[in-house]
Amino acid sequence: PVIIDMEDIDVCTIFSNIFQNAVEEIIENNIKDASIIIEIQKGQQYVEYIIKNSLVSEITEKTIDKNGLPKSHKLDKRNHGIGMVNLKNTVERNHGIFKWNQKNGYFVINVTLPIK
């Protein structure tokens, strides 16, 4: 077990956005044999979470926003598309590291957070 060095609300912001996006990608695109994979690596001063989810199609430069994050593909732009920005900002505000990529049909989020 680890105690992450941040407020509970920030921990919830990070992980609720990750898992909501992962589940929505799979369900809304009816991805067959979909999966969500979680890897956790603990160091002495950090914990690293790698969360992978099945991806329906490759993310291209055209689908990346000015913040370097994938754009929401939902029609209601007013109420969608802020989760990834909130996630990234929350990680960085708490002295963590946020990265994303895509590999072998998966969208991959890598979050490194300080521990107490």
Side-chain angles (χ1 to χ4, degrees):
V2 298
I3 299 173
I4 300 172
D5 193 14
M6 65 178 60
E7 297 294 323
D8 290 348
I9 189 78
D10 288 341
V11 174
C12 290
T13 296
I14 292 167
F15 291 103
S16 65
N17 276 297
I18 291 173
F19 290 111
Q20 181 176 354
N21 289 343
V23 170
E24 284 179 0
E25 175 71 10
I26 291 166
I27 291 173
E28 290 177 5
N29 294 295
N30 196 25
I31 301 174
K32 303 271 190 259
D33 300 320
S35 62
I36 297 174
I37 301 166
I38 303 164
E39 299 173 23
I40 303 169
Q41 299 177 20
K42 181 182 177 237
Q44 294 208 346
Q45 297 178 344
Y46 71 90
V47 61
E48 179 181 41
Y49 298 91
I50 302 167
I51 298 107
K52 305 173 186 178
N53 64 272
S54 300
L55 188 61
V56 70
S57 62
E58 188 173 313
I59 298 167
T60 65
E61 286 185 33
K62 290 181 180 181
T63 57
I64 296 175
D65 69 14
K66 63 183 177 185
N67 299 307
L69 300 169
K71 293 179 185 176
S72 175
H73 56 273
K74 296 183 177 154
L75 298 176
D76 181 6
K77 302 295 185 206
R78 183 172 183 202
N79 294 308
H80 295 284
I82 59 172
M84 289 288 285
V85 173
N86 286 341
L87 163 59
K88 181 178 186 293
N89 290 343
T90 302
V91 169
E92 292 174 351
R93 183 178 70 250
N94 284 282
H95 311 288
I97 300 168
F98 170 86
K99 299 178 193 173
W100 73 271
N101 66 61
Q102 56 189 338
K103 187 174 182 179
N104 300 326
Y106 286 94
F107 180 75
V108 182
I109 296 228
N110 182 303
V111 173
T112 305
L113 301 172
I115 56 177
K116 289 185 180 180

